[in-house]
Amino acid sequence: MTTLPVAAAPVPARRPNYWLGLLLTFIAPGAGFTYLNRIPLHVAWLVAGSAVSLFTESWGTAGTVVALVVTAFLLMHYRDTFAKEAAQDWARPALAQPLKWGIIGVHLVLSVGLQAVFLFTSLIPGMLEARGEAQEAATRSYVMNTYLSVYADSVAGKAKGGDCLRQGGAVPAPKSIVSCRVDVSDPQRPTLTVTTSAGETLTFP
């Protein structure tokens, strides 16, 4: 009696995870469609998302609103596509895993890279500008307070010249100030000269 080998039962294909695809679509617009084996839809949304991004900055607030609306439609389209594929029991031929994840991986890398470039080109200059304004405000505040103190001493007959950084004061000098000198050669009209790290010289009065 000959025993025929029993063929192994086919391993069922792993069903896509809805939330993983949604996350991919949100991070890299359209990538979730390749996850669902729908590369043409991925490409279409990639082109649409790129077009919207080009106009977002020039349109200001209106561009931001358009981008949000497009993102909402993108996520709804992904939801509907997932539901349609699930209703058909995932009958569409699956992409080879290396191809699928290679396409998704490249898009993710490019998407994250572009977002990083956007942060460096928009947020960091703004932060540096805000820091510069804060340093300038601190410098002017210190100069005004120091001069008022010097003038008060002059009126009281206690005028004292020299390096005001060494003399100290009620308000500590900010790091942006390199030197600060008081000239009391004319006790009735003392002069304060301050030099900042930016090379700016401030003289009062």
Side-chain angles (χ1 to χ4, degrees):
M1 180 177 180
T2 303
T3 304
L4 298 176
V6 179
V11 179
R14 186 175 181 180
R15 298 293 186 259
N17 182 281
Y18 175 82
W19 297 108
L20 175 58
L22 187 68
L23 178 63
L24 291 173
T25 299
F26 184 77
I27 297 176
F33 293 101
T34 290
Y35 177 64
L36 300 181
N37 307 308
R38 302 290 295 270
I39 293 180
L41 292 180
H42 182 174
V43 174
W45 276 109
L46 175 60
V47 172
S50 299
V52 171
S53 298
L54 291 176
F55 294 104
T56 298
E57 294 185 9
S58 59
W59 288 358
T61 303
T64 302
V65 173
V66 171
L68 292 175
V69 171
V70 171
T71 300
F73 275 107
L74 166 62
L75 298 180
M76 288 189 293
H77 188 194
Y78 168 80
R79 179 199 62 190
D80 294 341
T81 302
F82 186 95
K84 181 179 178 180
E85 295 294 329
Q88 296 175 356
D89 197 24
W90 307 103
R92 186 179 302 275
L95 296 172
Q97 293 298 313
L99 174 62
K100 173 187 293 189
W101 290 107
I103 294 173
I104 293 174
V106 169
H107 191 174
L108 286 173
V109 169
L110 292 177
S111 180
V112 172
L114 289 175
Q115 291 178 17
V117 170
F118 174 77
L119 290 176
F120 277 105
T121 57
S122 60
L123 296 183
I124 291 182
M127 293 172 62
L128 293 177
E129 182 179 354
R131 178 184 177 186
E133 292 177 352
Q135 288 180 341
E136 182 178 354
T139 298
R140 295 189 179 279
S141 176
Y142 173 79
V143 170
M144 290 299 299
N145 287 328
T146 301
Y147 183 73
L148 289 175
S149 177
V150 169
Y151 189 78
D153 289 342
S154 176
V155 172
K158 301 178 181 179
K160 181 170 60 174
D163 188 346
C164 45
L165 293 180
R166 291 179 177 274
Q167 295 173 5
V171 179
K175 295 181 180 180
S176 57
I177 292 181
V178 176
S179 66
C180 175
R181 299 197 64 81
V182 178
D183 182 1
V184 292
S185 54
D186 181 358
Q188 302 301 318
R189 194 173 185 274
T191 301
L192 175 67
T193 303
V194 174
T195 302
T196 69
S197 56
E200 181 182 11
T201 300
L202 305 175
T203 303
F204 282 81

